[in-house]
Amino acid sequence: MAAQSARHTVLVVEDDPSIRTLLTSALRAAGYSVASAASGQEAVAETGRCRPDLIVLDVMLPDTDGFAVTRGLRARGVYTPVLFLTARTEVEDRIIGLSSGGDDYVTKPFHIQEILLRIRAILRRTGGTSPGPAEEPPLRYADLVVDRGKHTVCRAGGPVELSPTEFRLLVCLVSHPEKVLEKREILQEVWQYGFAGDTRIVDTYIKNLRRKVDRAGPPLVHTVRGVGYCLRLPREGSA
């Protein structure tokens, strides 16, 4: 695994020196190149300097919070995957974090093997070790075009900016047009492992995706109550 992960740089943002040292040492032992920061301001600077493949980001920082850091990066067009690390355990906090543009969420206290597992899963699903998708033709449905090679989305001829996880979610939906996908199916295909039975992460990302994709035309992302979600054109007579 070390030979595979050596290609990736991870930025650890944690104000507790002992936790920062633990994470840094474990990641280096696993073969990653590691940079570190102790505040939100340092995190932004390090992101620009080392261009990490993934950020492990503590939510409670001395100068701001990790959610604000992530929103700021996304607003500047930086879509580096983010794994939140925090002592907050409420589901609502997890949803806020994922809504701000994060890709995963681990609560303290944590097992270092879980951190490594989730980092590998995020890098795998965001293209870190994927075989060349550039040769794959764009996916099309109605006026929606998803180019997996260029990682671009267009709706009605205009660009749609998505985070890496939002992009994978849209690819999942457009790969199965007009098919109702259960939430657990989406979890497996997009996140590649379960969230301890919590499917609300799917609801959160669908809400974000709908807000971005459906603002340019008739709604394409539809809820099938009690089942899951479907990409299709509105049915005649529907609101």
Side-chain angles (χ1 to χ4, degrees):
M1 183 58 67
Q4 185 183 63
S5 58
R7 295 180 297 171
H8 301 298
T9 297
V10 177
L11 172 61
V12 175
V13 185
E14 168 63 65
D15 65 322
D16 185 318
S18 61
I19 297 178
R20 189 168 64 248
T21 299
L22 170 65
L23 289 169
T24 299
S25 299
L27 286 165
R28 284 178 178 154
Y32 295 96
S33 174
V34 184
S36 64
S39 68
Q41 185 174 2
E42 289 181 16
V44 173
E46 281 296 308
T47 299
R49 185 190 68 80
C50 70
R51 300 185 180 277
D53 299 291
L54 182 141
I55 303 172
V56 178
L57 180 57
D58 187 25
V59 171
M60 302 298 292
L61 296 171
D63 56 345
T64 183
D65 66 66
F67 301 154
V69 172
T70 304
R71 284 193 294 268
L73 291 174
R74 299 298 185 248
R76 294 165 58 179
V78 178
Y79 293 102
T80 305
V82 172
L83 170 63
F84 285 120
L85 187 63
T86 181
R88 298 179 181 178
T89 59
E90 296 296 325
V91 173
E92 288 72 18
D93 289 320
R94 180 186 299 181
I95 291 174
I96 290 171
L98 297 171
S99 296
S100 71
D103 294 83
D104 204 343
Y105 194 108
V106 176
T107 57
K108 300 175 183 178
F110 58 83
H111 293 286
I112 195 66
Q113 288 302 320
E114 181 184 9
I115 298 291
L116 295 175
L117 171 65
R118 297 204 180 202
I119 286 173
R120 287 196 294 268
I122 292 172
L123 290 172
R124 185 169 60 246
R125 70 180 182 245
T126 56
T129 59
S130 297
E135 300 178 1
E136 299 181 64
L139 297 170
R140 301 175 185 272
Y141 184 80
D143 59 355
L144 180 68
V145 181
V146 180
D147 191 316
R148 290 164 289 180
K150 297 179 181 178
H151 204 279
T152 58
V153 177
C154 290
R155 176 86 199 270
V160 180
E161 298 294 333
L162 300 179
S163 73
T165 302
E166 291 167 349
F167 183 84
R168 284 189 60 84
L169 175 57
L170 182 59
V171 169
C172 174
L173 293 173
V174 78
S175 297
H176 307 280
E178 302 183 7
K179 175 185 176 182
V180 179
L181 297 175
E182 295 184 6
K183 294 179 184 180
R184 295 188 182 280
E185 289 182 88
I186 296 173
L187 273 176
Q188 181 61 39
E189 185 164 337
V190 177
W191 283 269
Q192 298 182 3
Y193 61 91
F195 274 71
D198 182 8
T199 59
R200 291 171 64 178
I201 185 175
V202 179
D203 302 328
T204 300
Y205 269 94
I206 286 288
K207 180 179 179 181
N208 293 346
L209 194 64
R210 186 178 281 137
R211 174 172 52 84
K212 295 179 179 182
V213 171
D214 286 346
R215 66 184 177 185
L220 294 178
V221 182
H222 297 271
T223 302
V224 180
R225 295 189 182 279
V227 182
Y229 298 98
C230 178
L231 185 80
R232 61 170 173 78
L233 288 165
R235 291 171 180 161
E236 187 176 351
S238 62

